Amino acid sequence: EGFREDDVVEIGVLTVRQGQIKDFFENAVIFPIIVRGQVVSLTGRMLSENPPSKFMHLKGEISYLFNEDALCDADEVIICEGPVDTITAVQYGYTAVGVLGAQAFKESYLTKFKNVKGIFGCLDADEAGRLGTKRLDQLFNGDIKIIRLPEGMDLNDFFNK
């Protein structure tokens, strides 16, 4: 309430499909991207079978990591692929942040890790994850420990099997 429909469509929370206004995140679990206590974006994981894309993000550039505030006082952190893997790692007692896509880690994110002593990368064990892991290793100049999962698994699968 209190928001103009055009504004909500413009930022991407609602979308126009077949001439009708629809929820952009229909059939998705929505995860807020929170930085310093403020919601700065939304991302979602599709629940439907065989979606065109497993994850959905609001329009615009992705400038944040999922659970980024965890970097403020972390000695060690695991870089995961997506919110679900990040949440699972945290539930199992690890400090974790999530990239919103296997190859979405940007060079500009490196400064966010300046006070972290131990950095671990654990992306999905698929082709996109392997490419993303290679990119992480290059960006951190080898100062990252890579956690390799069994083929076809992600961190959530690994912890819950």
Side-chain angles (χ1 to χ4, degrees):
E1 189 174 314
F3 295 98
R4 289 184 8 181
E5 195 172 83
D6 290 346
D7 292 337
V8 181
V9 169
E10 185 177 328
I11 64 168
V13 175
L14 297 177
T15 188
V16 179
R17 286 189 217 132
Q18 300 169 343
Q20 294 187 4
I21 304 262
K22 299 281 187 177
D23 179 353
F24 178 73
F25 290 107
E26 184 177 25
N27 296 321
V29 176
I30 302 171
F31 301 97
I33 309 297
I34 300 169
V35 177
R36 291 183 287 289
Q38 299 292 312
V39 175
V40 295
S41 189
L42 299 171
T43 188
R45 182 170 178 156
M46 297 303 298
L47 298 175
S48 57
E49 291 292 322
N50 301 314
S53 177
K54 188 165 67 170
F55 291 99
M56 301 175 72
H57 311 291
L58 288 180
K59 296 176 189 175
E61 183 178 344
I62 298 171
S63 303
Y64 304 98
L65 298 162
F66 184 77
N67 198 34
E68 182 173 307
D69 286 352
L71 296 172
C72 293
D73 56 2
D75 286 329
E76 296 183 333
V77 67
I78 300 174
I79 301 171
C80 302
E81 187 177 337
V84 175
D85 289 353
T86 305
I87 291 167
T88 300
V90 170
Q91 287 176 329
Y92 279 86
Y94 296 93
T95 302
V97 297
V99 292
L100 302 177
Q103 298 176 53
F105 194 93
K106 300 175 185 178
E107 190 171 350
S108 63
Y109 293 166
L110 292 173
T111 58
K112 298 172 191 253
F113 292 82
K114 66 180 181 269
N115 296 321
V116 179
K117 294 178 183 80
I119 303 167
F120 299 82
C122 186
L123 304 184
D124 295 358
D126 57 18
E127 187 59 28
R130 283 187 286 280
L131 291 171
T133 298
K134 185 176 181 179
R135 178 167 170 69
L136 284 175
D137 192 45
Q138 290 169 341
L139 287 171
F140 281 101
N141 292 317
D143 286 338
I144 184 171
K145 295 168 187 80
I146 303 301
I147 301 168
R148 301 210 187 276
L149 298 170
E151 182 63 32
M153 292 189 95
D154 62 23
L155 195 61
N156 182 59
D157 296 332
F158 181 79
F159 276 117
N160 290 302
K161 292 236 177 203

